[in-house]
Amino acid sequence: MLHKAKAEAMTPAGRAAIFILEETLIANPRSTEEHRRLMWANKRGHTLRVARLARRVSTLMGLQGQDAAIVEVAAILHDAGRFEQIRRFATYTDSVSMDHGAASAAIVRKHRGALLAAGLHTDAIRTVEETVRMHNKLPKPHEPFAADIIRDCDRLDIVASAIRTHENKRHRHVFFHAAGAVPERFTPDSGCVDLVLGRQPLPSGALGDPS
């Protein structure tokens, strides 16, 4: 199910995170194979795009070692709690169901042994846990360095997806304006990287609530 994602992961901890995601998906014995397939089909593309974008940003920022692994693992597991959310509540709307950031953080904590075995240090695992907890919330002082990276990559993928499918003219306009891009020559991934790195800051409030 996740062979492509495993191949894309750059670090041993990233590959461990993919296994954790897969285990989380199949953990509930009441979920049928068809249900699991539909849940993964729904979240697969977004998860992999956020992880890919976060790795590119991490590389361009010069992050290495544990810091790079923190970003990759947090990107892969940022929505891990979504599987439980959709199974229990049949919605992805946190306000009427559960805080998927907190649920994802609990999954990181549950699987800390696997991440330790993959080479992620104890302090780094705590950083991953807090990063995924905060990714769907407004920024706070002294939050982990990776929280802004994952938060931005997560939200910008939603905008980039709208651009790809031409479904949201408002998001297209905001994104092209912020990236200083010419629509005919615009590549969403490269535009996302520029925005996350802060070269062209996104207008305040342009994307609405954190996802």
Side-chain angles (χ1 to χ4, degrees), residues 48 145 198:
L48 295 184
F145 77 93

Side-chain angles (χ1 to χ4, degrees), residues 24-206:
T24 301
L25 179 62
I26 66 176
N28 180 9
R30 291 184 294 174
S31 294
T32 65
E33 180 61 32
E34 178 65 9
H35 187 209
R36 291 192 291 266
R37 186 188 67 78
L38 290 173
M39 281 196 294
W40 178 240
N42 185 264
K43 297 305 295 180
R44 174 184 181 277
H46 172 67
T47 297
L48 295 184
R49 287 192 302 271
V50 170
R52 189 178 303 118
L53 176 57
R55 285 193 295 264
R56 291 183 62 191
V57 170
S58 177
T59 298
L60 290 171
M61 291 178 66
L63 299 181
Q64 298 179 354
Q66 292 288 296
D67 287 344
I70 286 168
V71 171
E72 181 173 48
V73 172
I76 292 168
L77 295 178
H78 80 280
D79 271 355
R82 289 295 201 187
F83 299 136
E84 179 184 2
Q85 183 182 40
I86 196 66
R87 176 184 64 80
R88 291 177 57 190
F89 301 100
T91 181
Y92 287 134
T93 303
D94 285 19
S95 61
V96 298
S97 58
M98 60 187 286
D99 178 350
H100 79 277
S104 299
I107 290 169
V108 174
R109 186 165 60 252
K110 177 182 177 181
H111 293 277
R112 65 189 306 273
L115 295 173
L116 277 169
L120 207 58
H121 298 169
T122 299
D123 288 347
I125 295 172
R126 293 196 192 100
T127 300
V128 170
E129 182 180 340
E130 186 62 16
T131 295
V132 299
R133 186 193 312 281
M134 292 299 301
H135 90 273
N136 63 328
K137 301 169 183 67
L138 295 175
K140 291 184 178 181
H142 311 301
E143 67 181 8
F145 77 93
D148 261 344
I149 297 174
I150 304 306
R151 186 183 293 118
D152 288 349
C153 291
D154 184 31
R155 295 174 73 185
L156 287 168
D157 177 65
I158 297 170
V159 181
S161 295
I163 292 170
R164 291 186 187 98
T165 56
H166 301 268
E167 289 177 351
N168 191 316
K169 292 182 180 179
R170 175 173 171 268
H171 279 177
R172 285 174 56 81
H173 173 75
V174 168
F175 201 89
F176 289 140
H177 172 76
V182 178
E184 292 76 13
R185 298 198 299 268
F186 183 65
T187 301
D189 287 344
S190 63
C192 285
V193 169
D194 285 348
L195 289 172
V196 174
L197 290 177
R199 296 173 187 164
Q200 297 285 344
L202 199 64
S204 176

